[in-house]
Amino acid sequence: MIWAVAHSNVALVKYWGRAPGPGHQPAGTSVSLTLDGLASGARVEERPAGSADRVGWDPPGPVAELSRFVTLARARLGIGHPLDVLITSNFPVAAGLASSASAYAALTTALAALAPGRPSADGLAALARQGSGSACRSMLGGFVQWRPGADAGAVTQLAPPEHWPLAVLVAVTDAGPKRVPSREGMLRTRATSPFYEAWLTAGGVDLTVVREAVRARDLPALGAATERNALRMHAAALGAEPPLLYWEATTVSVMREVWRLREDGVPAFFTVDAGPQVKVLCEPADADRVERALAGVPGVLRVLRSRPGGAPRTGPEPPSWAAPHASPGPPGDEKGPAA
Ligand code: DP6
């Protein structure tokens, strides 16, 4: 049995659009920060020869997609024997907190450890993105760039986590599943939003600013570009038909609270992914004050705190928060014949 743990990531320049055609190619380059506080664990163990793969999520998640991914990954990595797979996370799944990113990065890492060969890092990033696009960014720690192209170097580390110990606070405003999954939202935005092309063009400008701000550890520059990139992604999504509105009333209240903090002289900046949660970047010295302010916004359920996180890791033991799930027998169902 092997466990792998990977961290979620927050996009500073968003991936919101797939290029037409096969291969899960992004339409533009994105940049993310891997978050140590939000993690998924993948437990993988061999099953008897001749049995079927068994996959499950705890709490429950999309089993059919997971099963397809395991079949694909086994074929690509040359894993002959059937597998028992359980994915678990230490934060609300499918609520716009990129649980699929950490889940598929953890699973890819665990499967690579069981593979007979030594798959390359580029090959593993390409595999992870078949599970979820943003998962390829969680294959690395710190500040990570993902550009279109399946070639070597499509996913690269711009800076390691220790380069800039920013604080990231996540205001959870709603723990339910997101209304429209990212995949569908991206397709709809590309197909129907008149703002889609403008969004891609603007993202290219943000990319240059974000890369330079990360290099220079310039929070006002990073924050301004991150905030406007998120708002423009949502503007493109709002222009889709039917419209994609991922925010709740509390989401907007938290965004306004962040602006109020800035008026008070606290450099804090928000970003929002395809869900109602708000992620806020600030200096570690301001994190307590920002956390209190966010927690005080009516409707905020809780505030999660993170620092830049590292690459996935493997081991024989479950992470401490997954200990109750350590015994064999995931809740998932039997799926298809062993590949
Ligand atoms: C808004 O990676 O979840 O969080 O490739 O369809 O699995 P799929 O999408 P996913 O989309 C992430 C969208 C986003 C922005 C981002 O993380 O860059």
Side-chain angles (χ1 to χ4, degrees):
M1 178 195 297
I2 188 151
W3 277 91
V5 174
H7 299 106
S8 176
N9 66 80
V10 59
L12 308 173
V13 177
K14 307 289 184 199
Y15 150 55
W16 193 253
R18 284 213 183 156
H24 295 241
Q25 282 295 336
T29 299
S30 57
V31 174
S32 62
L33 176 58
T34 301
L35 300 177
D36 79 331
L38 307 178
S40 293
R43 190 197 68 199
V44 179
E45 126 176 83
E46 290 184 20
R47 299 199 77 204
S51 58
D53 288 330
R54 194 162 69 158
V55 304
W57 300 81
D58 185 15
V63 175
E65 284 174 23
L66 181 58
S67 182
R68 269 196 299 278
F69 180 82
V70 170
T71 304
L72 170 85
R74 281 184 52 194
R76 230 185 240 197
L77 297 172
I79 300 175
H81 45 77
L83 298 172
D84 204 342
V85 169
L86 173 70
I87 307 284
T88 177
S89 296
N90 72 348
F91 60 95
V93 294
L97 285 176
S99 57
S100 59
S102 48
Y104 283 103
L107 180 54
T108 300
T109 305
L111 293 172
L114 292 179
R118 281 186 65 83
S120 70
D122 287 322
L124 291 179
L127 175 58
R129 101 185 130 80
Q130 303 296 316
S132 180
S134 51
C136 68
R137 297 187 313 230
S138 279
M139 295 299 288
L140 294 171
F143 296 83
V144 179
Q145 172 178 289
W146 172 29
R147 62 167 172 74
D151 52 324
V155 181
T156 49
Q157 187 184 61
L158 296 178
E162 55 279 8
H163 167 72
W164 194 3
L166 278 176
V168 180
L169 301 164
V170 183
V172 179
T173 62
D174 180 355
K178 61 178 107 161
R179 294 206 178 91
V180 180
S182 314
R183 193 156 304 184
E184 194 185 325
M186 283 183 208
L187 285 173
R188 193 190 298 172
T189 305
R190 174 158 67 85
T192 65
S193 176
F195 311 133
Y196 179 67
E197 290 301 329
W199 146 248
L200 290 181
T201 307
V205 177
D206 295 336
L207 176 69
T208 309
V209 177
V210 163
R211 287 172 51 133
E212 175 53 25
V214 168
R215 194 199 59 73
R217 291 191 280 256
D218 181 343
L219 181 56
L222 179 78
T226 296
E227 218 174 84
R228 74 169 173 259
N229 185 266
L231 290 170
R232 287 174 181 173
M233 178 197 109
H234 285 275
L238 280 165
E241 230 177 294
L244 292 154
L245 175 55
Y246 285 105
W247 304 342
E248 299 295 335
T250 309
T251 312
V252 177
S253 301
V254 173
M255 288 155 61
R256 290 196 181 284
E257 181 62 21
V258 170
W259 285 343
R260 199 193 56 72
L261 280 164
R262 282 225 292 282
E263 280 164 21
D264 286 354
V266 180
F269 301 86
F270 66 75
T271 182
V272 184
D273 287 314
Q277 332 300 355
V278 185
K279 292 141 196 171
V280 180
L281 306 172
C282 66
E283 299 287 0
D286 293 324
D288 285 342
R289 175 159 176 200
V290 174
E291 183 174 355
R292 273 196 307 277
L294 300 181
V297 174
V300 169
L301 303 175
R302 59 185 168 136
V303 179
L304 310 171
R305 205 155 150 168
S306 256
R307 290 171 306 181
R313 57 181 190 275
T314 55
E317 299 296 330
S320 55
W321 45 264
H325 311 292
S327 61
D333 36 344
E334 304 265 344
K335 282 279 158 187

